Amino acid sequence: MQYNPGWNGSSVNLLHVRAAGPSDSLHYVWSSIGAPAVLLVATQSPSSALRVNWTQLLSPSPAGAIWIDPPDSVVYSTAVVFTKLFEFSQAKPLGELFYPTYDLSEFSWDSLNHTLNHTALTAELSGVPATDPGGGFSNGSLAFRVTAYEAGGRDGRLPSLLHTADSSQLEFVLAGVAPRGNSSSFVLEVATVEEAGAVRRLRSERSIDDEYTPTIFEVLSLVAESQNGSSTLGFLQWKATAYGSRSPRREDGIQCRAQGLQEANWTVPVSSIVQAYFGESLGSTCTISALNVSFGGEEGQVYQEKRYLSWSVLLGFGQPPRDTFSPLVISITAVALGTPLAMLLLGSCVVLLAQRRRYSEYEPIN
């Protein structure tokens, strides 16, 4: 993990996370220059390196300021940008009432270097609006918590996402922010950037197993696929829930919904690292898609009471991890289904034997 590689100042934030394999390497570049964003690049070289031209990156024309060396080692690149936070009230007399939007590109962000933990591979990007006329952020903040992984496993806190060494987890946190309505809900706008040849699709999978995330049976994935659908290139994955507590429990759940994936080529995400890497192709050959993730609904009062909201999402390359039944669940299922079946077979045998004995007492007529 490198903070602002090649730059001595801390007035801007750029975090480079690199995972090296025997024949390839993965790069995650997180930044709050402009709207908070992450650039994901997969290369076929174990020694590929991130290069940053800081003078150009911080200029009004950052195109070309970020690249991977050697350039021909790049096999796939994409970006995810967190652009806006919407707040709306669901008051019944008035219906849905939207308040002025929080544009995340206009936030003031704390130095990420203060929260960087090289041992735990974690960091936190925290910010507030540069101008806050309503005072909603006077005692609160919005944060993105990043966690990288060295091996596969499962996060210990709800929603207990399953991860691999090729993925990173992002936790979106809204803490202490005063809602502007009595029944406010929040919506986070997420934009993705794909180069030519790739397209984003939203998948929803349901399972009867809620062992690791009680009462949640749906997993959503925003996957990047090749145009012919032959391979999955990257993904965002999350459980259909958020939580209203720093130490989340089942009862702290907040409803989480994905409100349709749409092409958003009419608006280019305001993020310097995205413009710096993709350059002129951002407005021409790249495909930009946008997705709204809403938090609230019938359980919206959880945030009103505790003023805390956390939503976890996994980002990575290749296929998203898939949960499988644990040995405990398999054992319970086998007992639950096997016991009635065994009783049915045993009962059938008893009935057959009883019938055989009864009819064996009679002599044949002929």
Side-chain angles (χ1 to χ4, degrees), residues 29-104:
V29 185
W30 304 86
S31 177
S32 63
I33 304 174
V38 56
L39 176 67
L40 297 86
V41 183
T43 74
Q44 57 185 0
S45 167
S47 59
S48 61
L50 175 72
R51 306 299 184 196
V52 181
N53 182 330
W54 282 97
T55 303
Q56 188 175 354
L57 178 62
L58 300 178
S59 71
S61 302
I66 293 179
W67 70 98
I68 298 295
D69 191 22
D72 59 358
S73 67
V74 176
V75 293
Y76 173 65
S77 56
T78 184
V80 181
V81 189
F82 302 93
T83 53
K84 297 175 182 178
L85 180 69
F86 302 99
E87 181 184 351
F88 66 96
S89 175
Q90 296 179 324
K92 291 184 179 179
L94 302 175
E96 290 187 353
L97 171 64
F98 279 84
Y99 297 97
T101 303
Y102 292 116
D103 190 335
L104 301 189

Side-chain angles (χ1 to χ4, degrees), residues 53-254:
N53 182 330
W54 282 97
T55 303
Q56 188 175 354
L57 178 62
L58 300 178
S59 71
S61 302
I66 293 179
W67 70 98
I68 298 295
D69 191 22
D72 59 358
S73 67
V74 176
V75 293
Y76 173 65
S77 56
T78 184
V80 181
V81 189
F82 302 93
T83 53
K84 297 175 182 178
L85 180 69
F86 302 99
E87 181 184 351
F88 66 96
S89 175
Q90 296 179 324
K92 291 184 179 179
L94 302 175
E96 290 187 353
L97 171 64
F98 279 84
Y99 297 97
T101 303
Y102 292 116
D103 190 335
L104 301 189
S105 65
E106 298 177 355
F107 270 46
S108 175
W109 302 94
D110 296 338
S111 174
L112 184 148
N113 195 35
H114 300 315
T115 63
L116 189 58
N117 188 324
H118 289 273
T119 303
L121 300 179
T122 59
E124 180 174 325
L125 187 64
S126 179
V128 297
T131 58
D132 186 20
F137 279 79
S138 57
N139 294 313
S141 65
L142 181 152
F144 294 94
R145 295 175 181 167
V146 179
T147 303
Y149 299 106
E150 293 182 314
R154 187 181 298 277
D155 192 63
R157 300 170 68 249
L158 289 176
S160 304
L161 293 176
L162 181 67
H163 63 259
T164 66
D166 296 342
S167 59
S168 294
Q169 181 170 294
L170 177 71
E171 184 181 2
F172 166 70
V173 178
L174 203 61
V177 178
R180 290 172 283 186
N182 293 328
S183 55
S184 285
S185 295
F186 292 94
V187 178
L188 179 65
E189 184 182 71
V190 182
T192 62
V193 180
E194 294 293 334
E195 291 184 308
V199 62
R200 286 277 177 175
R201 290 187 173 90
L202 181 64
R203 297 176 182 171
S204 174
E205 294 185 6
R206 293 184 179 273
S207 170
I208 62 172
D209 184 15
D210 68 339
E211 177 183 5
Y212 300 105
T213 312
T215 73
I216 304 301
F217 301 94
E218 183 181 14
V219 178
L220 295 109
S221 300
L222 185 59
V223 297
E225 298 177 342
S226 55
Q227 290 281 10
N228 56 13
S230 61
S231 61
T232 300
L233 306 171
F235 66 87
L236 279 77
Q237 184 185 63
W238 66 95
K239 297 279 184 80
T241 185
Y243 291 95
S245 172
R246 297 180 188 274
S247 302
R249 299 167 298 172
R250 181 185 62 81
E251 55 267 29
D252 298 319
I254 297 176

Side-chain angles (χ1 to χ4, degrees), residues 90 184-186 254-257 294-301 309:
Q90 296 179 324
S184 285
S185 295
F186 292 94
I254 297 176
Q255 191 177 61
C256 171
R257 291 178 177 173
S294 66
F295 313 100
E298 296 178 0
E299 299 89 350
Q301 295 300 320
L309 168 68

